[in-house]
Amino acid sequence: MPQGTPTPWSYFLIRLLFKFVLKIFYGTIVVEGIENIPQTGLPCVVCANHTNSLTDALLLVTAIPSRKRNMLRLTAKSTQFGKKTLTSWLIESAGTVPIKRRKDFAEGSADNTDVMAKLIEALEQGDAVCLFPEGASRYHPTIAPLKTGVARIVSDTLSRNRDNPDFEISILTCSVTYMHRQHFRSDVLVTFNPPFRFRPRDNPELLAPVNYDHIRLVTAQMHRQIANGTFDAPTWDLIRTARTATPLYAPLGTTMSLGDYVRVTRTFLEAFKAERIPSDASSETDSDPAETTEIVRLKTDLRVCALSFVSIRTLYSSMTRQAYQATLFRLKIRDDRIRRPLPRPIILYRIFLRLSWAAFLSSISLAGLVLWTPVALTTFYAVHNFKKTGPVWDTWDEIAQYKLVYGLVSGVCVWLGMITLTLPFAPITAVAVPILMWMSLRWFEDAVSAFRAFLALVRLLLVPPATLAQLRAAREDLHARVLDLAVHGLGLPEDPETYFVENGEKQKGRVTGRWMGRAKYFSVRRRRKRDWNETLRLYEQFDYPSDDVQT
């Protein structure tokens, strides 16, 4: 069996550096399906949805354990090569292959024939090659129609090895879901799906000369598998509404993993999407094969739904237009505060408790926050200037990349600067500074969470009792309809708070039991999260652009 290309030293460096940086930038990175990753020496094309520019590639590099693959050969747009920047050096030194995009070159000059030949040779040596079949990073609510390049590479590789009965090549799709792709201390779910495996003797339809319909079929299967593991919708409004339905169904404090949260939200999303499909949509003869397949699947799945499309449409309209959600947004109160009403003496007691805790944590974080200040200012300035270079749909997918790169550079400068200033104690400083910065970040994150709860309680105290009563009645009606859809229409468990404790995914990011929950709150490695929508902000984040923005 091939052993794969030896791992360059720069790849080890990049993987180590950005594994560290990604763990700081994102609060929780949950990786599912590691068992689906083929071992080193087995040719493999890794494909994922592409929403976050270079960050997507770095995330895949760090998510694949070295015990499974010694390296992941990356590809990147050719315009990122040959520049005197840190990003360009990182890309080139890691053995990344440049891909020419047609929109970056004059018509007819984007020839990738030699590049494709190199990728096929790498696969024959047992490498794993990373490709993003959407063709470009894009900040859109839906996954773009996939290019057929991956299926064509598999077909060409199989054709070149048609006389080897044991030759096997896999397509490993990956679904990446960012809760907030560009916000500090947000969360990410990386799901490796079961691979598609191909052999010359099992897949003669992919051997040259190949009927292009088979290429399109493989591409459609890839599209469906990637979309099934993440949020994929024609509008941002559908995603926003589905994410609003999830906490109504599984309220704050439900001990569900990030994977469970994404799957529940996606279940609501699919119901809202299917409600919008015209009855004759599947009869269109000129539609895209992947799109047609998805339409037929959605219509078939929803036939078993006990609720009618009319009921789903009414619920969707209520959630998007009803005064309940608008009032919560205006008052800046969370749904959980309405679900569990608190007596005013308890609210006052908790206000004192949260403010005291926030003040204590902030005070012990001050020393470390001084070290974080240059990093925060540098990244803020870089991102602020970058946003001026284009519209939201052309810049938001690269914000996280800028924050990661500039945060890494400025953080290293702070570290080296502190070592220089304390030169006689350099060995101690070299270790103490990263520890201090990490622990101050942990403490400050808890301080922000406590102060956010303090502000919510103060706002709750100022709401007139009559308004609270109206909100509670509106919530009970909306919750009953969401639960009816979830249980009787979508097959979700009736009691999510109990179900996910007993049957939920037991993985990183999940807290079970009162003692473990409290212990995780003070964990050195990560803080316990009760809400997967949480970021290092004092307010809720649903920062999707308007659907009428040009895309």
Side-chain angles (χ1 to χ4, degrees):
M1 186 178 73
Q3 299 301 311
T5 303
T7 311
W9 68 268
S10 55
Y11 185 89
F12 284 113
L13 175 62
I14 289 173
R15 191 174 188 279
L16 179 64
L17 279 178
F18 280 98
K19 190 169 187 177
F20 173 72
V21 173
L22 285 167
K23 283 183 178 293
I24 291 178
F25 187 81
Y26 292 111
T28 306
I29 301 176
V30 176
V31 182
E32 297 181 328
I34 292 177
E35 67 279 2
N36 293 323
I37 303 173
Q39 291 284 353
T40 296
L42 297 175
C44 176
V45 183
V46 181
C47 307
N49 51 310
H50 202 14
T51 62
N52 210 4
S53 193
L54 183 60
T55 307
D56 292 332
L58 296 174
L59 194 64
L60 292 178
V61 165
T62 57
I64 296 179
S66 56
R67 69 178 185 274
K68 297 290 289 189
R69 306 291 315 195
N70 65 326
M71 69 175 293
L72 178 64
R73 187 176 289 276
L74 301 173
T75 55
K77 57 185 179 182
S78 59
T79 53
Q80 291 185 327
F81 290 73
K83 297 181 179 180
K84 296 181 179 180
T85 62
L86 176 63
T87 301
S88 182
W89 176 82
L90 289 171
I91 290 173
E92 293 178 20
S93 59
T96 305
V97 178
I99 300 290
K100 294 180 180 180
R101 303 187 303 174
R102 291 183 180 178
K103 71 176 185 178
D104 296 328
F105 293 86
E107 187 175 352
S109 62
D111 185 3
N112 287 304
T113 304
D114 293 339
V115 174
M116 294 299 107
K118 290 181 180 179
L119 292 179
I120 292 174
E121 290 175 2
L123 289 168
E124 290 175 335
Q125 294 173 16
D127 286 352
V129 173
C130 179
L131 292 170
F132 293 100
E134 287 180 88
S137 176
R138 53 200 303 275
Y139 187 66
H140 285 214
T142 184
I143 297 174
L146 303 189
K147 310 293 185 184
T148 57
V150 172
R152 286 189 281 117
I153 287 176
V154 169
S155 175
D156 291 344
T157 307
L158 287 174
S159 298
R160 283 178 42 143
N161 294 270
R162 66 198 314 156
D163 295 329
N164 182 0
D166 296 325
F167 182 82
E168 179 179 286
I169 183 172
S170 301
I171 297 177
L172 177 68
T173 64
C174 179
S175 305
V176 181
T177 307
Y178 297 91
M179 295 299 100
H180 301 280
R181 73 197 74 197
Q182 78 277 20
H183 285 313
F184 194 43
R185 304 305 291 168
S186 180
D187 306 301
V188 189
L189 175 68
V190 182
T191 303
F192 291 104
N193 304 302
F196 298 104
R197 304 182 188 276
F198 304 93
R199 291 184 179 181
R201 66 183 177 208
D202 298 330
N203 304 96
E205 72 279 3
L206 294 178
L207 301 180
V210 62
N211 185 327
Y212 208 73
D213 288 341
H214 297 300
I215 297 294
R216 285 194 288 265
L217 179 59
V218 172
T219 304
Q221 292 171 337
M222 292 166 49
H223 186 284
R224 176 177 174 179
Q225 194 177 58
I226 293 174
N228 279 350
T230 187
F231 303 147
D232 178 53
T235 66
W236 289 115
D237 189 59
L238 282 164
I239 297 177
R240 187 185 297 111
T241 306
R243 292 189 66 174
T244 302
T246 299
L248 283 168
Y249 164 71
L252 182 69
T254 301
T255 53
M256 62 196 313
S257 69
L258 181 56
D260 290 330
Y261 171 85
V262 169
R263 282 182 283 275
V264 168
T265 303
R266 192 182 176 282
T267 301
F268 283 112
L269 178 60
E270 291 303 297
F272 295 144
K273 282 170 57 179
E275 171 271 323
R276 290 185 161 204
I277 298 173
S279 59
D280 60 344
S282 59
S283 63
E284 298 291 332
T285 58
D286 58 347
S287 58
D288 180 77
E291 187 176 331
T292 301
T293 301
E294 188 68 8
I295 288 174
V296 172
R297 184 187 66 81
L298 286 173
K299 290 172 66 65
T300 301
D301 289 351
L302 266 293
R303 285 197 190 107
V304 300
C305 180
L307 298 178
S308 67
F309 281 159
V310 175
S311 300
I312 299 175
R313 185 179 300 114
T314 303
L315 174 61
Y316 177 79
S317 299
S318 297
M319 296 191 64
T320 54
R321 301 191 183 104
Q322 195 180 55
Y324 175 71
Q325 297 294 339
T327 304
L328 290 186
F329 183 78
R330 177 173 55 84
L331 297 175
K332 296 183 179 180
I333 297 176
R334 301 182 61 157
D335 171 75
D336 189 66
R337 299 300 180 187
I338 305 301
R339 181 178 73 98
R340 292 179 175 177
L342 297 173
R344 289 186 173 255
I346 297 298
I347 295 177
L348 291 171
Y349 167 73
R350 291 191 177 185
I351 285 176
F352 170 76
L353 201 64
R354 298 293 188 273
L355 183 60
S356 301
W357 186 233
F360 170 73
L361 289 172
S362 298
S363 64
I364 64 175
S365 305
L366 286 178
L369 292 179
V370 171
L371 299 176
W372 278 107
T373 301
V375 180
L377 292 176
T378 301
T379 54
F380 175 81
Y381 180 76
V383 171
H384 178 72
N385 287 337
F386 173 68
K387 285 182 179 179
K388 297 178 181 179
T389 62
V392 60
W393 61 86
D394 194 40
T395 57
W396 274 25
D397 65 317
E398 296 188 52
I399 290 177
Q401 169 188 322
Y402 269 72
K403 288 183 177 181
L404 287 170
V405 173
Y406 281 91
L408 172 61
V409 173
S410 55
V412 171
C413 290
V414 168
W415 180 64
L416 293 175
M418 290 302 299
I419 290 176
T420 304
L421 290 174
T422 59
L423 202 54
F425 309 99
I428 298 176
T429 304
V431 177
V433 167
I435 293 176
L436 176 61
M437 293 181 72
W438 171 249
M439 289 311 303
S440 64
L441 175 62
R442 280 283 295 104
W443 294 329
F444 185 65
E445 194 175 10
D446 289 337
V448 170
S449 178
F451 195 73
R452 182 168 53 241
F454 160 77
L455 291 177
L457 289 167
V458 170
R459 297 187 196 106
L460 184 64
L461 193 64
L462 298 177
V463 178
T467 302
L468 286 176
Q470 293 174 357
L471 287 173
R472 196 166 299 118
R475 192 215 182 260
E476 289 177 357
D477 174 67
L478 196 57
H479 171 262
R481 294 161 66 188
V482 169
L483 190 64
D484 190 32
L485 169 63
V487 176
H488 301 111
L490 304 177
L492 294 173
E494 186 173 0
D495 184 1
E497 293 179 90
T498 301
Y499 175 84
F500 287 110
V501 170
E502 298 174 351
N503 304 289
E505 293 290 326
K506 296 174 176 57
Q507 61 184 21
K508 180 180 176 181
R510 182 173 183 269
V511 179
T512 56
R514 179 170 296 184
W515 167 250
M516 183 180 292
R518 291 177 178 176
K520 287 286 185 182
Y521 190 89
F522 299 98
S523 168
V524 173
R525 295 181 58 195
R526 70 185 72 92
R527 70 181 299 272
R528 184 204 66 181
K529 285 194 174 184
R530 301 176 67 209
D531 180 12
W532 292 115
N533 192 48
E534 186 178 319
T535 62
L536 195 62
R537 298 291 181 95
L538 293 175
Y539 49 88
E540 288 290 294
Q541 293 288 326
F542 279 107
D543 48 358
Y544 299 126
S546 173
D547 285 312
D548 58 6
V549 171
Q550 180 182 353
T551 52

